[in-house]
Structures are given as structure tokens and as C-alpha cells.
Amino acid sequence: MVRFSFQVIKNQETPNIVCSFDNIRYIFNLPDGFQRFTKDNQVKINQGPRIFFTRLSTKTTTGCFGYLSTLLAQNCGVNTKIYGPKGLCKLINMKRYNEIGGFKTLPYSVQEFNGNCLLGTKDTKLIEELLQQNDCKLQEYLEKIKEHIIDPKESNDASIYMKNSTLFKDQNLQIQAIEINDTIQYVISSFPQPGNYNKEKLQQFKVPANKMQDLSKNGKVMLEDEQIVTIEQVKEPDIIPQVAIILDIANPEQMQKLMCHIEFKKTLEQFKAQQVNLVAVFHLSHQLQEEYYIDFIKKYSNINHIFCNYYKESDDKICQTHMKIQPLSELLSNFLHQQYPFNFPHIECLKLKPIPIDFKDLNQMCGYIPLFEYLILPTKQQGYKPVQNFSPKIMSQIFNNIQFKNYQQQFQQKGIDHMRLIFLGTCSMKPGQLRNVSGIILVNEKLKSNIILDCGEGTFKQISDENIVLDDKPLIIWISHAHSDHHLGLLQIVHNLCNCHNEIYLIVPAIVVPWLMFFKEILGEQNNWKIIVSQQFDQDFKEDINELIKDCFHQCRIRQGELVQIQDNQNFLKNYEDLISCLKDQFELNSIKVTPVDHCPQSYGVRLNLCDGRSLSYSGDTRPCERFIKLSQNVDILIHESTFTDDLQENALQNMHSTISEAVKVGMLADAKVITLTHYSQRYSRQIEINQENLENDKIIFCCDHFGGYLNQYSKLSQISKEIIQLFNE
């Protein structure tokens, strides 16, 4: 039996929609943090999803690149195809020829509606070689992909499903793109489905089971009494195409163009003539309260409408239960908050605006409900209902055997400190259900300024969950290196602050600058950042900064080796001087010092020296490194990556990471007062094996997401952190 459904995912600021037709997924938009919550939403992405974008913006695309890397690691890359507005090929191609990790987009094919097609490679041997290649062999990689010509006959080609410049058609669905300015609206249609056999009619005509094959094959069958029964007599009528529409309308002009568009009018005419069944319209807009949107909804009030950014009050107990559902990571933080209220936040359920009062008398209106799907086929089950096989879990039941010791009395007072250090993400490579990728924030509660150390995908949500407000506050975002799990989240943060008046200082390795510039240029969005290059803080770096940046741009090649030219008004030397001049007054920092560490090209560790004499250092990703030990001498808090447990030493060597004991040794050699460990491999999303010596060392803190405290508390947090690790292991 065919199963055709739509599910709204909204655990982050921007919703997206996953359409499922049997085992194939059609994903509409990939916002920041999408892939982290697929498991919480019971969404399993199988081989070769089709990805569609309604517009090219930070809000709709920043989850794309991390997700494509994950698909490649799961061997799903060569069959994945991507569709969207003009400019999409340029966006993916720009990442493809980025210096680090760009090869992870090589298998993907992109088709623009009314535009270009970018082929993907199916050369699995090349992909395997690149996956196994260390990023330190940078120049070899650049030459290899520059010389690699994709054979059209042996390519991943998104255009194979295009019947014309705006019509996608595969074995399951027909998707009509309606191009309006720089946006795409989608009309998704199933094909006619044969009616099922009616059991009652089969019994009425006394058709035996051994005659069913002949009936299906010939359209009729003769029974023992010589009566002829035709297939039409015992089958339900064929099911006409079932249609859903996804709208991303942002202003009256777009709405007017939609209503006048020939394909939209054609769909409505077919619906009126009962040639198709228009089941539901999904609205991604935040504009429901606007008059033009109210008029549209009332005009088509005979159709089911699902408002992805709003909720509808309901007396239904199932709906009420689902509205209280939270991701497992939030439930865990709330559970730990009950035990350690000064070290973990209580995270509220997602708060949405109610559906406007103008629609209160319209029955066919639905808001977003977590873990609900709109089932289209089978038609007899059609409707908005809980997803299959889901039952809510209660966190207290999961950890009902855990007994906590009472350490909390020593944290009843804040003391005189106003500097809080919070771990936002403690996982490596890709987000997990309980751990997000790298992110740390130092909050100055007195000056209302913030310093973010690494900023992986989904960091903005983690900050929001901490009830930290970044608007109109001075902000430094420091990125350790170019791997995407350490920097993709900064795009969403900067975008959300684009209308604020605060200064945003981005300190990034030179190798990351082209990526930021290209992304900004392609999307045409304004950002109020000031970019500073990490090398400017490296006392041993003697080269010309502007020449270094220029060289990084030149190495970001596009097809045929053409050099990318880009105009930008960033003055890196002036930006550096501006930041240095405000370090003390706005951030209470005496200095920022960096040093190269042993990972991929242009990887850095950092030390922050506070005005009150305290200090902290952060390694980024690295092997144990003498330079970082020297940088961290006598530091109060040393933060070090500990990707692998001690039994996986070879993995650590091969991937240029550290084991837990190696990270601890770095802290001991640096004579750090506190050693905090983070950046655990995905294999330890729940259980981490720690040797007895490290468990008994009171200097060591094992961090998890949302773990934090005031700087003057960190020397007392070791035992709490080990209790929590034990909870994970249980």
C-alpha cells in the first residue's frame, strides 16, 4: 500500500518540510540545525533524497552543507539530487572548490528551475580516495579535483527528472515549480492510483482466491457457475492525483503573482473539475496577520491549510500532549536543571504565535504540532495525525534509577563573579541527538558582551536555549579552523543580528574568508560583521595579511580553473585595530593570543587573558601540541578536544585528533588549574569509557551540552561532570 505524507520540522527558528513517498524523501529547505533533530522527529533519510529550496537565503540553506557531508558519509551522495532557484548551482559549486572539505559536495547534482544544471560525479573510487585523504594534503586535493572532469554518461544528473524547465517528475511524484521573483512555490502531485479490491464485493460475487490472479491479469474472470465478473464490479474507483502545495510568500507582490500564475490557476481549475484533489496547503510564511494573506486564506477556505510557524489552540488531548513534546536533548537539560539549577538551563517548549483571530471561524486550519504528519495516501486514512509508531518518552522514566549526590549547596550563591563559561556543543563532525557540534560561549553579565569559541551548525538555537540575548551586545566569534562542524553556525547568528547595532567581530583563519565572502555575495544579504584574520594574533606570523587573503581567494577554484574575482570593503588591518581598542572596555580582555596547532591547514588554538588576571585557553581540533602547551602555561581553565578514548590511539593519529589521556597530559604539562574536555566522537553520543586514573583526577571536567558555570566555580565542577558522564553511561 502506497504511503504519501508531509511532516513539518520546526525545532529551530525556520521550519522545513519532509515529504515521504514510501521510502523516498523529498526535503523542502535545509535550515540551520535540521539534521540534529531528524531522529527526534522520527525522520529516517534513506538513499538518494531529493532536496528542494523555496529561496536562497541564510535561513533556508545553512543546514545544507553539513547535511550533504553526512549523506556522503552514509554513502547516500551519488543518488541525491538538489533543485531550486537560480544561483543554487553557484552556491554549491562555490563550496565544491573551497579548499577544505569541498570534495564532499562533488557527488551532488544541482538543477535550477529555468536555469543551469551542475553534474555530480559517480566516480566512487575518487570519492573514497578523497574521504581517506587528510586535509593536510591540501594542494594535492586542489589539483585532483581541478583535473577531474565529470563524464556526463557516468554522472549524477538532476536534470533526468526534469520534463521541462519547471516540472520535476520521478517514479513517485510530479512537482511543479512556480517561479515568483527569487522564490519557488511548489505544487506536489501524486499520480493516479488504482482502486483497491472491495472485500465485500468480492464476497458478494463469490470470487475465490485462486481466481484473483486471472482477474487482475485479464480484467475479468469466469466463475464455476459460468458467471463472468469484471474487475470494475469488485474494485473501488481509481484514486485521482492527490495534491499538496508549499508556499513561501513574503509580500503582497509575490501573493498577487502567485494568484495570477498559470500553473496555480490550472491546479485550482483541476480541483474544481474534480480531476485532482487539492488536499492541503503548507504555509512557510510569517505574514499571516497581513491583510493580503488573510484575504488569500479566506478566498480558499475550502482547502486545508497548515501554518508552519503558528499553533492552533485545541481541546484535543492528543494535540495538547504533542505540543508539550521536546527533543531529547532539551528534556535531558531540564532533567539536569532539577539537580543542578546553576549549571544547566531549563529549556521551555517551542513558543509559537497563535493562528490569527481572523481565521477562528474557519475549520480547515491547522497549526504546527510536533510529531504530526499530514497523511495524503492512503486516502481512507487522510488527515493530520501523529506520525507512525511514535510514543512520547518521559525523561524521568529513562533515568529512573539514577541517584545524584548533593553537591549543589556549594553553588547556592553566585559570589562576586559575572563571567559564565557555557559549553553549547560537545560533539565532533555532525550533530547528535544529545550533543550538538562544537560551540562554547563566555558571557560577561556585567558588560553584556559575549565571546563565542567555535560555532558549529545549530549554535544559535543552543544560545537561545540558554536565554542568552545577543541583540545589540558586543560580540566576538572566534573560529579555530575551516572544518564545517566548527563554523557553519556563525552564518545564522550573523544573519539574525543583521539589523542590530552591535559590533560583530569574526576572528577566522584566512582560509575561511573566501567562504564567508562568497556566501554573502551569492545570497545578496547584508551583514554587519568585521572580519579579522586569526594570523593577525599570531606573533610568529610575518607574512603580509592582504597577500595571504588574496592567495586564499585564488585557490578557491571554479570549473576550468577560472579565478574568482570578488569585491569587498573589508579592511582587515583596521578591523584588527578596532577590536584591539575595545577589548578592555567591552570584553574585559587584556589580550587574545593564538598559536598554530596540529590539525588541518590554518588550525589555531587561542588564549584569552582577562583584565582581572584570570585566563582560559582552547585547543580547537589538534594532536597534542607543544605550541599549545606553551600558550596555555599556568592557565586557569584549559579546554581541550578529546575526540577518542584511549583504546583508539590509531584513529587519533590518523585523523589528527587527541585521546582523552593525551588531552589530560597536555593540561598537566601546561600546569592548568582546570582541564575541561570536549569534542567527543559521535560513537560516544551516550557512553564514554574513562580510565580510573582520569575519573579520580579532580582537575578534569567532562563536558556535555549546556554544562556551564561561573569561572570561579569551575575548580569545583569535576565531580558533578563525572556524575553526569555516569548518567550517560547508565
Side-chain angles (χ1 to χ4, degrees), residues 27 42 98 186 245 286 313 409 423 482 487 553 557 627:
I27 305 172
Q42 308 288 300
N98 193 267
Y186 291 101
I245 296 176
H286 290 269
E313 293 183 359
Q409 63 268 18
F423 287 80
H487 71 75
F553 272 111
R557 295 178 168 92
R627 290 185 297 273

Side-chain angles (χ1 to χ4, degrees), residues 4 6 21 167-170 172-176 186-192 241-245 267 270 276-277 376-377:
F4 175 30
F6 288 82
F21 195 101
L167 181 62
F168 168 97
K169 191 174 182 180
D170 67 5
N172 299 322
L173 297 174
Q174 175 175 292
I175 301 178
Q176 177 66 57
Y186 291 101
V187 179
I188 303 105
S189 307
S190 65
F191 299 118
Q242 304 294 298
V243 178
I245 296 176
T267 301
Q270 290 174 332
V276 302
N277 181 27
I376 307 289
L377 290 173

Side-chain angles (χ1 to χ4, degrees), residues 46 50 53 67 123 134 155 202 279 286 289 330 480 679:
N46 297 326
R50 285 72 154 131
F53 291 100
Y67 188 57
D123 187 342
N134 192 297
S155 65
L202 287 170
V279 181
H286 290 269
Q289 71 282 0
E330 295 182 11
S480 63
H679 196 270

Side-chain angles (χ1 to χ4, degrees), residues 609-729:
N609 293 312
L610 279 64
C611 292
D612 61 11
R614 292 181 295 178
S615 57
L616 62 89
S617 64
Y618 170 50
S619 68
D621 286 4
T622 184
R623 290 289 298 143
C625 176
E626 287 293 336
R627 290 185 297 273
F628 183 69
I629 293 171
K630 182 179 178 182
L631 180 76
S632 302
Q633 282 299 309
N634 302 310
V635 74
D636 290 281
I637 300 174
L638 181 145
I639 306 166
H640 204 287
E641 70 115 296
S642 54
T643 308
F644 296 104
T645 49
D646 297 348
D647 58 314
L648 294 178
Q649 180 69 49
E650 285 301 315
N651 296 59
L653 286 166
Q654 182 179 350
N655 295 286
M656 302 295 287
H657 286 296
S658 300
T659 66
I660 290 174
S661 289
E662 285 178 328
V664 170
K665 185 177 180 181
V666 167
M668 301 302 284
L669 290 172
D671 201 19
K673 294 182 177 65
V674 176
I675 304 165
T676 54
L677 304 181
T678 184
H679 196 270
Y680 309 111
S681 168
Q682 302 159 57
R683 71 194 73 199
Y684 312 125
S685 60
R686 301 199 181 217
Q687 189 167 9
I688 304 176
E689 295 294 336
I690 303 166
N691 67 40
Q692 195 63 32
E693 182 182 354
N694 289 331
L695 280 174
E696 293 173 357
N697 188 333
D698 288 339
K699 276 191 172 186
I700 304 171
I701 295 174
F702 294 90
C703 294
C704 62
D705 284 21
H706 294 298
F707 181 89
Y710 291 91
L711 294 188
N712 64 359
Q713 294 177 345
Y714 262 78
S715 62
K716 305 172 184 177
L717 293 179
S718 177
Q719 288 304 315
I720 289 178
S721 78
K722 289 161 188 172
E723 282 234 325
I724 295 165
I725 287 292
Q726 184 63 29
L727 181 150
F728 274 68
N729 290 351

Side-chain angles (χ1 to χ4, degrees), residues 440-479:
I440 303 164
I441 188 167
L442 181 64
V443 181
N444 188 319
E445 293 181 343
K446 183 171 73 175
L447 298 181
K448 308 298 183 186
S449 60
N450 300 285
I451 301 171
I452 298 173
L453 303 176
D454 277 339
C455 193
E457 177 186 351
T459 295
F460 182 78
K461 181 187 184 307
Q462 299 290 90
I463 292 172
S464 301
D465 288 343
E466 291 281 350
N467 295 312
I468 297 170
V469 178
L470 299 178
D471 298 4
D472 297 318
K473 308 294 191 300
L475 175 64
I476 294 173
I477 302 178
W478 183 86
I479 302 300

Side-chain angles (χ1 to χ4, degrees), residues 163-362:
K163 300 308 170 186
N164 59 45
S165 61
T166 60
L167 181 62
F168 168 97
K169 191 174 182 180
D170 67 5
Q171 70 273 27
N172 299 322
L173 297 174
Q174 175 175 292
I175 301 178
Q176 177 66 57
I178 298 177
E179 189 176 24
I180 298 177
N181 299 345
D182 56 352
T183 70
I184 305 289
Q185 321 301 317
Y186 291 101
V187 179
I188 303 105
S189 307
S190 65
F191 299 118
Q193 301 291 317
N196 295 321
Y197 285 106
N198 186 307
K199 291 181 180 180
E200 292 180 358
K201 290 182 179 180
L202 287 170
Q203 291 174 355
Q204 176 187 337
F205 286 97
K206 299 179 180 179
V207 180
N210 62 1
K211 294 287 186 180
M212 292 300 298
Q213 187 173 354
D214 290 341
L215 180 62
S216 299
K217 182 179 179 180
N218 302 318
K220 61 183 179 180
V221 68
M222 181 180 288
L223 304 181
E224 290 182 1
D225 61 2
E226 297 187 353
Q227 178 187 2
I228 295 176
V229 178
T230 64
I231 198 168
E232 289 79 11
Q233 290 175 297
V234 293
K235 280 190 73 174
E236 303 285 356
D238 288 350
I239 300 169
I240 60 176
Q242 304 294 298
V243 178
I245 296 176
I246 295 176
L247 296 183
D248 188 1
I249 298 290
N251 56 57
E253 178 191 359
Q254 290 178 357
M255 183 65 82
Q256 184 62 37
K257 288 185 176 181
L258 170 71
M259 296 176 71
C260 295
H261 198 283
I262 186 171
E263 293 296 342
F264 183 71
K265 292 166 70 175
K266 176 182 171 183
T267 301
L268 294 176
E269 289 167 2
Q270 290 174 332
F271 177 48
K272 187 176 181 181
Q274 297 185 347
Q275 296 171 343
V276 302
N277 181 27
L278 179 50
V279 181
V281 180
F282 293 84
H283 299 269
L284 297 173
S285 175
H286 290 269
Q287 304 288 317
L288 294 195
Q289 71 282 0
E290 300 294 333
E291 185 177 351
Y292 75 91
Y293 224 114
I294 293 171
D295 291 343
F296 174 82
I297 299 297
K298 289 185 174 180
K299 183 174 182 177
Y300 302 111
S301 60
N302 60 325
I303 303 168
N304 295 301
H305 295 270
I306 294 88
F307 304 118
C308 302
N309 289 298
Y310 295 78
Y311 80 93
K312 182 179 181 179
E313 293 183 359
S314 173
D315 295 329
D316 184 271
K317 290 186 178 180
I318 294 177
C319 292
Q320 290 176 349
T321 299
H322 274 250
M323 286 306 296
K324 296 176 183 177
I325 291 173
Q326 292 180 265
L328 194 61
S329 57
E330 295 182 11
L331 295 176
L332 176 61
S333 182
N334 292 346
F335 180 70
L336 292 172
H337 174 79
Q338 295 173 16
Q339 309 296 327
Y340 309 116
F342 294 101
N343 305 106
F344 289 90
H346 177 79
I347 303 173
E348 299 288 343
C349 287
L350 184 69
K351 293 182 179 179
L352 300 173
K353 295 179 182 178
I355 291 176
I357 195 170
D358 304 79
F359 305 144
K360 68 177 182 178
D361 297 326
L362 303 179

Side-chain angles (χ1 to χ4, degrees), residues 102-118:
F103 66 85
K104 293 179 180 178
T105 62
L106 276 175
Y108 300 104
S109 180
V110 183
Q111 175 66 58
E112 299 169 346
F113 295 110
N114 283 320
N116 300 318
C117 179
L118 179 68

